[in-house]
Amino acid sequence: MAEKYNLTGLTDEEAKEFHSIFMPSMYGWFSLVVLAHVLTHLRFPWI
């Protein structure tokens, strides 16, 4: 049976695996960015 690919060129299984890695990484990055902004604001309040 031939593999079915989506617009990205990934199969459904590959897309699910990528998503399972990408989402926690994105949440971690956003958390780090928010923490950096909060700490910067506490040290150098601009408002």
Side-chain angles (χ1 to χ4, degrees), residues 1-27:
M1 182 198 255
E3 299 265 343
K4 183 178 177 186
Y5 291 94
N6 295 320
L7 293 175
T8 61
L10 300 174
T11 63
D12 284 342
E13 281 299 315
E14 291 170 334
K16 288 177 184 177
E17 182 179 353
F18 176 79
H19 186 265
S20 71
I21 296 169
F22 178 79
M23 290 306 290
S25 300
M26 184 184 69
Y27 291 144

